[in-house]
Amino acid sequence: MKSRALLVLLAMSLLLVVLAACGNAEGSGDEASSSNTEESTSGEGNSESESETTEVLVDGSSTVFPIMEAVAEEYQKENPDARVNIGTSGSGGGFEKFAAGETHISNASRPIKEEEKQALEDAGIEYTEFEIALDGLSIVVNQENDWVDQLTVEELNKMWSADGGVTTWADVREGWPEEEIEFYSPGADSGTFDYFSEVVLGEEGQIRQDASLSEDDNVLVQGVTGSKNAISYFGYAYYAENKDSLKAVPIVNDSGEAVTPDQETVQSGDYNPFSRPLFVYVKNEAVENNESVYNFAKYALENAGEMAEAVGYVAKPDSAYEDALKKLDEIAGK
């Protein structure tokens, strides 16, 4: 009896072992299947990432930024897969990145300088300049400033020059208050800084040391809106966006007329010497070999006039944009 019972016990044990082995095998199959699914999903994700449109890299002038930002927003609405990255390092900072091969397009509120041309030549980078809009560099004071009715370039020179000897408004013109002036200026990498310095201070002139500098025009706006005695200068679009808290100072032009910046006076050139063109510089090789850059550049030139006016600047004639598009197609070999 004992032998028989032992045989039964051994048989049952063997059966349990077989069943357990089968269960483990099935479990192993499930785990393998799950792992393969994850790998497949991961592979699909990588494939989608690789198929994304190449990012278009833009940097440079904070003055040109509102135009290109508006262009980029509309472009990406129409092209959901597109990616456009726009920085604001200032015109000079933008050209440095352009020459270093870090960007495809460089925004500028002044023409490229000789040393910047040389840096691009040394780097073997060919480029094309496009004028995309006009701007009226605006001299602004606080809305509560009720004494500054106009300024001459000579007065601006006296105010902003390092050796001008101006501390209070009374130092600028007799009868103005003896209140200390607060100066806010774009930073030295800004094309607006370069343009203002050239027109107001001249080649040898130096800006006053106590001016607060910032590459961000919004910081300058905040500085002037926060003080009745502040003064600054920046692109017309930033003034237009903040008309309720800023006052644009009429500037005496070369005809002796005090002129306020607006679309008409900038377009006609009556607002001189502060009417100026705005630029984008496009890397030729990128336009020729990168369809994403070409498509965005084309869209920008097609819509720059409309977008410029939408954000407060002045469009160039339609014929200017048509000529620019032809030039772009020539570069791209279209």
Side-chain angles (χ1 to χ4, degrees):
M1 290 291 292
K2 288 183 180 180
S3 298
R4 190 173 177 182
L6 183 59
L7 287 173
V8 171
L9 182 59
L10 288 172
M12 290 180 63
S13 298
L14 181 60
L15 179 61
L16 289 172
V17 170
V18 171
L19 289 173
C22 290
N24 287 338
E26 289 174 2
S28 298
D30 289 341
E31 289 174 8
S33 175
S34 175
S35 177
N36 287 336
T37 301
E38 289 174 4
E39 288 174 5
S40 176
T41 302
S42 176
E44 290 173 2
N46 290 336
S47 176
E48 289 174 0
S49 176
E50 289 170 3
S51 67
E52 286 180 355
T53 308
T54 303
E55 185 174 26
V56 181
L57 301 173
V58 186
D59 208 310
S61 168
S62 61
T63 302
V64 180
F65 174 77
I67 301 174
M68 295 301 279
E69 180 187 40
V71 168
E73 286 178 355
E74 293 303 313
Y75 178 73
Q76 289 175 132
K77 285 179 185 176
E78 295 184 20
N79 303 273
D81 292 334
R83 293 191 300 161
V84 183
N85 189 333
I86 305 178
T88 54
S89 298
S91 297
F95 281 127
E96 288 178 8
K97 292 186 177 183
F98 199 49
E102 297 175 12
T103 58
H104 304 117
I105 298 173
S106 198
N107 300 330
S109 56
R110 58 160 174 78
I112 188 169
K113 296 179 179 180
E114 287 303 320
E115 58 266 30
E116 292 163 342
K117 291 180 181 179
Q118 187 62 53
L120 286 162
E121 183 177 339
D122 292 344
I125 295 173
E126 296 183 354
Y127 62 90
T128 301
E129 174 190 279
F130 296 97
E131 289 187 18
I132 61 166
L134 300 170
D135 175 34
L137 191 156
S138 303
I139 316 301
V140 300
V141 294
N142 188 282
Q143 189 70 267
E144 295 181 13
N145 182 322
D146 57 5
W147 58 89
V148 177
D149 54 349
Q150 63 181 48
L151 285 167
T152 66
V153 174
E154 290 74 19
E155 286 173 328
L156 287 169
N157 175 281
K158 185 179 178 182
M159 293 173 70
W160 286 91
S161 177
D163 56 3
V166 168
T167 302
T168 70
W169 290 105
D171 295 330
V172 181
R173 194 179 298 180
E174 186 177 350
W176 285 1
E178 293 186 4
E179 297 286 343
E180 188 171 345
I181 305 171
E182 296 177 33
F183 294 88
Y184 292 88
S185 169
D189 275 338
S190 167
T192 302
F193 175 93
D194 290 337
Y195 189 88
F196 183 85
S197 296
E198 180 181 340
V199 170
V200 173
L201 304 177
E203 291 184 7
E204 302 300 325
Q206 297 293 322
I207 193 169
R208 56 187 306 134
Q209 297 299 306
D210 60 349
S212 297
L213 307 184
S214 176
E215 303 292 349
D216 186 344
D217 290 336
N218 290 305
V219 172
L220 307 180
V221 170
Q222 292 168 10
V224 179
T225 57
S227 173
K228 186 177 180 178
N229 290 299
I231 187 169
S232 188
Y233 60 93
F234 36 73
Y236 179 76
Y238 288 93
Y239 159 67
E241 189 178 340
N242 296 275
K243 280 185 177 180
D244 293 341
S245 52
L246 296 175
K247 182 169 75 172
V249 179
I251 302 300
V252 178
N253 66 11
D254 57 10
S255 298
E257 180 185 1
V259 179
T260 305
D262 59 37
Q263 292 199 346
E264 288 72 28
T265 59
V266 171
Q267 180 87 58
S268 67
D270 290 337
Y271 182 66
N272 64 67
F274 293 119
S275 295
R276 58 175 179 165
L278 301 177
F279 306 90
V280 295
Y281 291 79
V282 179
K283 192 171 295 183
N284 291 359
E285 184 180 11
V287 170
E288 184 179 359
N289 299 325
N290 188 324
E291 197 69 15
S292 299
V293 176
Y294 168 76
N295 289 337
F296 177 71
K298 180 180 179 182
Y299 188 90
L301 293 174
E302 289 173 339
N303 295 277
E306 180 183 348
M307 293 299 150
E309 295 192 346
V311 299
Y313 292 115
V314 180
K316 293 178 66 65
D318 289 344
S319 59
Y321 297 111
E322 291 168 3
D323 291 343
L325 285 165
K326 289 177 183 177
K327 186 189 295 185
L328 183 72
D329 281 347
E330 288 175 7
I331 298 167
K334 302 290 184 181

